Amino acid sequence: MTMSQSGGRRKPPTIHDVAREAGVSRGTVSRVLNGGHYVSPTAQEAVNAAIRRTGYVVNRHARSLITGRSDSIGFLLTEPQERFFEDPNFNVLLRGCTQALAAHDIPLLLMLAGTEDERRRITRYITAGHVDGVLLVSSHSGDPVAEQLREAGVPLVMCGKPIGVGSKVSYVAADDRDGARDMVRHLVSLGRRRIGVVTGPLDTPGGVERLAGYREVLSESDIAFDERLVVSGDYSRASGEAGAERLLAQCPDVDAVFVASDLMAQGVLTSLERAGRRVPEDVSVGGFDDSSAALAARPQLTTIRQPYDRISAEMVRVLLAQIGGEDPAAVILPTELVKRQST
């Protein structure tokens, strides 16, 4: 290593240093750094070993000038900032996507766009080429972001089935409807017949699909559908608490509640306790997600487990494939009923 003439600090290793250390040409090193095409296994291992020994770090800015790519991915949450910190599911997805991209040495940029102005600014930023693709989480119908990104040709993968977006949009989703069916069948198997539901937002895929699964099981079980047993929430704890209060006011004989998220179910438990209803003796409660909120609840929640690690990994896999030129893809993953003390 040579010393810089101005400050006496060591210059960072270059691609030429790596080539000299590995005993290969600069072109071979470049091909290894750009995917290893047309490089023998022996040469690739020699280059990787030289990178480790020299401590070489890719100059992403210089490479982006050549490839036209930013070598970064955006994680876009179209929800208010407070929801990101309240709802544990978003953090689990973010961590999983970050880890999956780390295996490809690609950084993930967190973008929060809860207002119309924020969505407009972030859409401009993305379409200007500052990221190579977007992982879009919690998109509501009527939210223009997904359609604008699709029309701009930005590689995009949505978490959950798209609503109100044109065809050929990639997505990865848990089987929300089947998970809801499993939960409601479980409540029916316990002898419950006055089963209420606190839905998620009905302009989101999870809200729509989970309510549909609830209704299907009532029908197959010959239990009459009662609109008074259906109240809506927004996946927040406060909305679960308010929803349970409405259920109790409208249908005092409710004997079970299917709640479309664990966080909302915590609020339901609070309302039931305040009303003097015992869980599960008087009212069985089932959640959805199997998040940290399910274990923190008292009693701990019976819930539907979403495979967040697989969802994250699949979102990254599908997006990188799309960036590489493959067609959009849809992946639906199975859920699992987890029984605990609330039912």
Side-chain angles (χ1 to χ4, degrees), residues 114-237:
T115 69
E116 185 176 341
D117 285 344
E118 288 171 345
R119 287 190 284 272
R120 192 161 41 240
R121 285 195 300 271
I122 286 178
T123 300
R124 285 200 304 266
Y125 179 85
I126 292 169
T127 55
H130 293 292
V131 295
D132 294 327
V134 174
L135 303 166
L136 179 59
V137 180
S138 192
S139 179
H140 297 253
S141 64
D143 178 355
V145 171
E147 187 65 26
Q148 289 169 355
L149 295 179
R150 188 187 71 84
E151 290 178 353
V154 176
L156 170 71
V157 176
M158 299 179 67
C159 183
K161 289 184 178 179
I163 296 180
V165 182
S167 60
K168 296 187 177 179
V169 174
S170 293
Y171 69 88
V172 178
D175 195 333
D176 290 300
R177 186 175 298 208
D178 193 56
R181 285 192 293 249
D182 285 344
M183 177 58 75
V184 180
R185 285 183 184 128
H186 172 60
L187 296 173
V188 171
S189 75
L190 299 174
R192 307 298 185 175
R193 290 297 179 271
R194 296 290 287 166
I195 303 172
V197 59
V198 181
T199 75
L202 296 180
D203 61 349
T204 63
V208 171
E209 292 290 308
R210 294 169 202 179
L211 177 59
Y214 163 85
R215 295 194 64 161
E216 287 173 6
V217 173
L218 293 189
S219 177
E220 74 182 32
S221 304
D222 293 324
I223 299 175
F225 175 73
D226 186 343
E227 289 186 358
R228 297 174 301 164
L229 285 166
V230 180
V231 298
S232 61
D234 62 7
Y235 291 138
S236 69
R237 193 181 192 281

